[in-house]
Amino acid sequence: DLQQKVEETELLKMELQMLETERVRLSLVEEKLLDVLQLLQQLRDLNISKRALGKILLSTLESYRDPQPGKAHLFEVLDTLQQELTACELLHREPMEQGQSPQSLSNALVISC
C-alpha cells in the first residue's frame, strides 16, 4: 500500500512539473502576443496602409509554408511576426514634419515596409 502511495506521489509530481512547464510556455506566448499587438497598434497609429500590413503578415506566413502544428510553431510564427513588424522602417522614423501631408506619408509607408 505504501509503494502505491509513493508511485501516485511521483505521478502527481510529474504532472505538476508538466503543468508548470506549460504555464511558463503560455506566459511566453502571451508576452510575445502582447508585443505583436503593441507593434500593430503603433503602426495603426501611424496610419500604415492595410496593404502594407497585409504584406508583412503574408511575408511572415510565407516563412512557414509547411506548417508543423504544435506549441513551438505558434511561438515561432509570433516571433517572426514581431521581427517583421519591428523591422518596419516606419517605426524608426522621425515624426511627420510640418510640410509633409498624410497622403505622402501613406505612400511612404507602402514603400518602407
Side-chain angles (χ1 to χ4, degrees), residues 53-71:
L53 279 175
K55 285 182 180 181
I56 292 170
L57 181 59
L58 288 175
S59 171
T60 300
L61 295 176
E62 279 293 313
S63 301
Y64 297 95
R65 278 197 152 229
D66 300 322
Q68 322 261 313
K71 300 170 184 174

Side-chain angles (χ1 to χ4, degrees), residues 3-29:
Q3 181 63 29
Q4 185 180 0
K5 293 288 185 186
V6 169
E7 289 173 3
E8 286 178 10
T9 303
E10 287 301 315
L11 284 173
L12 288 173
K13 283 181 181 178
M14 285 177 25
E15 188 174 333
L16 184 62
Q17 186 177 14
M18 288 175 17
L19 287 172
E20 181 63 20
T21 301
E22 183 67 9
R23 186 192 66 76
V24 169
R25 187 193 69 78
L26 287 173
S27 290
L28 292 173
V29 168

